[in-house]
Amino acid sequence: MLATLFDFPFEERRKLTRWSDVATAAPGNGVIETMDQRREELHECLAYFTRLWNERVNQPPAHDLISMLAHGENTRHMAPMEFLGNLILLIVGGNDTTRNSISGGVLALNLFPGEYDKLRADPSPKLISNMVSEIIRWQTPLAYMLRTAVEDTDFCGQRIRTGDRLCMWYVSGNRDDEVIDNPNDFIIDRKNARHHLSFGFGIHRCMGNRLAEMQLRVLWEEIMKRFRFVEVVGEPVRTLSAFVKGYLELPVRVHEH
């Protein structure tokens, strides 16, 4: 999907997932070894997209994101590092989140087999759409975001001053038992399943949230047509990150109908 949105050369689309991993990985844990390696690979990302930018800016405006940035009144004069920052935001936001929600959904259905039975009995678009929201809540693929206070305020007895940096722990809010019944359980027909914090809130709400939901819904509709059971056959290897709540490995075996 990212390759489509960027009109990125499809045969080289794996570069996008690589750059996403590089941008969020801790050095020395299998993805990158040093901060210098991260900088080098992200500069390769910038160089690649700069070439695409230069191609698109000399062509008529099109509907891909690079063309929109290159021709946009407010974006066409971006400095290189600002361009890279926007690219990484789009790449990580559109890759890590959906990818780890896919794996998380498979794992959740295996951990709660009664819910998998429920889904097999009723693989309807309505139930799958609700399950997608529950997957996004249960998995919470990005554990937190940072915000900067723009004015002094008091919150729950805590003084917050202008300029203070705040960590918004989405994963904690999504498991708040004062708001969500049995929050650690995965329940595919949970009422108000979309009442979660994984997409942020208000002006900070993820602009790609509907696209992410659509991708997951279509994926699970097609999985249920093709396979009776996607069986997890080994322990998941989790991403070593406080930010990305995801998986490096999740071995599975697929069983056809």
Side-chain angles (χ1 to χ4, degrees), residues 117-237:
D117 291 339
K118 194 184 295 181
L119 178 63
R120 278 189 285 262
D122 177 22
S124 65
K126 180 179 179 180
L127 183 58
I128 288 177
S129 292
N130 200 82
M131 180 184 75
V132 163
S133 293
E134 177 69 348
I135 288 171
I136 294 169
R137 179 201 71 84
W138 187 86
Q139 179 60 31
T140 316
L142 295 181
Y144 70 90
M145 283 286 178
L146 290 178
R147 298 283 179 248
T148 302
V150 297
E151 61 183 43
D152 292 352
T153 189
D154 289 297
F155 182 73
C156 295
Q158 177 68 46
R159 184 64 170 167
I160 299 172
R161 301 187 184 281
T162 303
D164 283 352
R165 302 187 75 194
L166 311 174
C167 192
M168 314 294 290
W169 280 102
Y170 299 150
V171 67
S172 178
N174 282 342
R175 300 294 179 98
D176 186 350
D177 59 9
E178 294 184 4
V179 179
I180 302 170
D181 294 335
N182 302 311
N184 294 318
D185 292 345
F186 179 73
I187 304 170
I188 67 172
D189 54 355
R190 182 187 293 278
K191 293 181 179 179
N192 300 318
R194 204 165 184 265
H195 185 64
H196 61 72
L197 297 176
S198 298
F199 290 130
F201 190 77
I203 63 171
H204 295 293
R205 188 166 175 81
C206 171
M207 67 179 184
N209 69 89
R210 291 297 190 181
L211 176 60
E213 290 173 331
M214 181 189 72
Q215 287 179 268
L216 291 168
R217 175 179 54 78
V218 171
L219 175 87
W220 278 104
E221 286 175 354
E222 295 304 314
I223 285 176
M224 295 309 295
K225 291 176 185 176
R226 290 165 169 75
F227 307 113
R228 179 182 60 82
F229 184 24
V230 181
E231 178 188 9
V232 174
V233 295
E235 286 296 314
V237 178

